[in-house]
């Protein structure tokens, strides 16, 4: 394994023309590695970068001919889509993990953010298709971020090959809870009234989902089985609204796939065995969802 200083980082040494480069998404984005992609594109020549949901400004000012692919134009990836540079794949999110893991979907170079813990490293802030692609990639470059939380459920097995490591100390990509207006609060009031105590919740990203979570403050014994985990969930978990006690699958545990949040969520996740990041094969699986009593997706 090669260690590289941030001042000596040159992705052109690892990427070949025609490659597909996979970059971590949302709070799991390896920002230092992502920032080095445009320079590599100028040196190497054409390669494709696969993005998920983008919450940073890392790709706002890239070469106009730099191509991207993704499973949707979410977050700031919509800016790339408006420039006509994003090829959106017609795939369900849950199909990506299996496709990359099997090699049916090609990923030549994987850029991933990791966190260091007493027992080893973890794929911090996400347990998604990026981690699944690591075993099949020709080259894996990890950004080990000292400020990223150690997340239970996304531990890296010791035999996982990592070709190069860049050590950084920077705040992960933050997506604070969205501010709610009058319309969002009105919608949230209606939705919250439809959710009973003891329900297990799956919820998305944005002002309306965050307002709905605010509207659940007086509920009891709610559970979390969700694609995303963020600041509002963290706050309600800390206050005892989410206990996960009445879940039929993973009782006592909050389950999520990726983190879309900021420091409050990161701090709660750090070495917290009661919150587990699980792959989409669990968080998005029909059979798992069907066995989860009182499962409500918002």
């Amino acid at each position: 394994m090669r260690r590289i200083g941030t001042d000596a980082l040159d992705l052109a040494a690892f990427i070949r023309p025609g490659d597909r480069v996979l970059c971590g998404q949302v709070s799991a984005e390896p920002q230092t590695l992502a920032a080095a992609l445009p320079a590599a594109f100028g040196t190497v020549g054409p390669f494709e970068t696969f993005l998920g949901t983008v919450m940073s400004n890392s790709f706002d000012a890239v070469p106009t001919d730099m191509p991207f692919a993704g499973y949707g134009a979410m977050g700031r990836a919509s800016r790339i889509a408006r420039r006509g540079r994003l090829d959106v794949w017609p795939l369900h999110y849950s199909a990506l993990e299996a496709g990359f893991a099997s090699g049916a979907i090609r990923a030549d170079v994987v850029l991933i953010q990791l966190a260091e813990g007493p027992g080893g490293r973890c794929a911090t802030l996400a347990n998604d298709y990026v981690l699944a692609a690591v075993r099949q990639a020709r080259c894996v470059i990890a950004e080990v971020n000292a400020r990223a939380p150690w997340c239970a459920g996304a531990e890296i097995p010791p035999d996982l090959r990592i070709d190069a490591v860049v050590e950084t100390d920077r705040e992960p990509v933050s997506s604070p809870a969205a501010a709610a207006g009058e319309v969002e609060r009105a919608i949230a009031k209606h939705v919250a009234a439809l959710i009973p105590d003891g329900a297990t919740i799956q919820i998305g990203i944005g002002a309306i989902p965050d307002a709905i979570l605010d509207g659940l403050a007086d509920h009891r014994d709610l559970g979390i089985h969700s694609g995303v985990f963020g600041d509002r969930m963290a706050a309600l978990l800390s206050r005892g609204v989410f206990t996960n006690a009445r879940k039929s699958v993973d009782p006592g545990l909050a389950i999520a796939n990726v983190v879309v949040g900021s420091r409050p969520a990161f701090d709660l996740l750090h070495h917290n065995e009661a919150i587990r990041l699980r792959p989409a094969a669990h968080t998005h699986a029909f059979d798992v969802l069907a066995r989860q009593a009182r499962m409500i997706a918002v």
Side-chain angles (χ1 to χ4, degrees):
M1 182 174 61
R2 179 178 168 189
R3 293 186 178 274
I4 307 171
T6 54
D7 56 345
L9 177 61
D10 180 12
L11 293 182
F14 302 94
I15 301 173
R16 301 172 184 171
D19 272 354
R20 176 176 294 136
V21 179
L22 196 62
C23 186
Q25 62 174 336
V26 287
S27 296
E29 179 192 311
Q31 298 172 81
T32 300
L33 298 178
L37 279 169
F41 185 80
T43 302
V44 174
F47 61 83
E48 179 184 70
T49 300
F50 187 93
L51 301 175
T53 300
V54 178
M55 294 302 199
S56 73
N57 61 3
S58 299
F59 306 100
D60 286 0
V62 296
T64 56
D65 58 341
M66 188 172 176
F68 294 87
Y71 62 86
M74 282 80 67
R76 296 173 80 98
S78 62
R79 301 183 178 207
I80 302 171
R82 286 195 293 270
R83 297 199 300 266
R85 304 305 303 168
L86 181 66
D87 179 19
V88 178
W89 293 359
L91 285 175
H92 291 295
Y93 179 79
S94 56
L96 291 170
E97 179 193 329
F100 282 118
S102 68
I105 303 175
R106 180 173 56 87
D108 302 293
V109 179
V110 174
L111 310 180
I112 188 169
Q113 179 179 234
L114 303 180
E116 199 86 61
R121 292 172 175 158
C122 75
T124 179
L125 299 170
N127 189 349
D128 58 3
Y129 57 85
V130 178
L131 183 56
V134 166
R135 287 191 182 277
Q136 299 294 336
R138 183 189 74 243
C139 178
V140 179
I141 307 172
E143 180 171 340
V144 180
N145 188 351
R147 286 193 230 175
W150 193 92
C151 300
E155 297 86 352
I156 298 292
D159 66 332
L160 198 70
R161 190 194 84 254
I162 297 174
D163 299 286
V165 165
V166 176
E167 295 182 346
T168 61
D169 185 356
R170 60 188 300 173
E171 189 68 6
V173 174
S174 293
S175 305
E182 184 179 345
V183 172
E184 288 82 6
R185 287 192 293 270
I187 293 171
K189 183 177 179 180
H190 287 296
V191 174
L194 299 173
I195 299 175
D197 288 347
T200 294
I201 306 298
Q202 184 280 332
I203 203 158
I205 305 169
I208 291 176
D210 282 343
I212 291 167
L213 287 170
D214 277 344
L216 300 177
D218 293 327
H219 281 56
R220 295 291 177 267
D221 282 337
L222 296 178
I224 298 171
H225 185 107
S226 183
V228 299
F229 181 89
D231 290 357
R232 289 282 197 274
M233 277 188 168
L236 294 176
L237 193 58
S238 296
R239 290 172 53 185
V241 175
F242 285 110
T243 65
N244 301 294
R246 293 167 65 178
K247 292 175 67 177
S248 52
V249 179
D250 302 311
L253 299 175
I255 301 295
N257 181 245
V258 300
V259 178
V260 186
S262 62
R263 185 45 58 183
F266 304 159
D267 287 344
L268 188 65
L269 278 156
H270 191 48
H271 289 288
N272 189 340
E273 294 287 342
I275 309 172
R276 304 288 178 90
L277 298 186
R278 299 291 304 275
H282 186 75
T283 58
H284 291 64
F286 295 142
D287 61 328
V288 176
L289 297 172
R291 289 188 285 113
Q292 191 71 263
R294 299 172 300 278
M295 182 76 208
I296 295 181
V298 181

